[in-house]
Amino acid sequence: MNKEVLYERIHTMIQSSTKRPKYMALSTVKLADLLGEDVHEVENTIQEFVKEGRLQKSELTEAPHSVVYSLPS
């Protein structure tokens, strides 16, 4: 899997978000389908981005309490 292609896709998705501040609840299944990759590999790569500081992971405090990702400020 090309990590940079996945990161660019996620980066674009977050940037195009209409929410303020910009964040996105990512569907790893949809991303894996779009890229033709394994879902577990996509999930692991996203977690690597979080560990590297390229993405920030948080949870919404209001319903639906989704895990969301944003770009570091």
Side-chain angles (χ1 to χ4, degrees):
M1 160 182 264
N2 188 334
K3 283 178 62 171
E4 291 308 311
V5 170
L6 176 60
Y7 181 75
E8 287 301 319
R9 179 68 57 114
I10 294 169
H11 186 274
T12 302
M13 291 169 67
I14 294 171
Q15 285 295 331
S16 66
S17 171
T18 59
K19 299 166 183 69
R20 297 279 184 243
K22 293 188 178 284
Y23 64 87
M24 177 70 61
L26 300 174
S27 168
T28 54
V29 174
K30 283 185 181 180
L31 283 169
D33 187 46
L34 284 170
L35 299 172
E37 298 290 342
D38 180 59
V39 174
H40 298 294
E41 190 172 342
V42 171
E43 289 173 354
N44 291 338
T45 304
I46 290 172
Q47 293 310 314
E48 286 179 31
F49 293 148
V50 171
K51 287 179 185 174
E52 294 170 0
R54 296 173 80 180
L55 290 176
Q56 293 178 337
K57 180 179 177 180
S58 59
E59 188 171 328
L60 295 177
T61 56
E62 298 175 7
H65 303 288
S66 299
V67 173
V68 296
Y69 296 89
S70 60
L71 299 173
S73 26

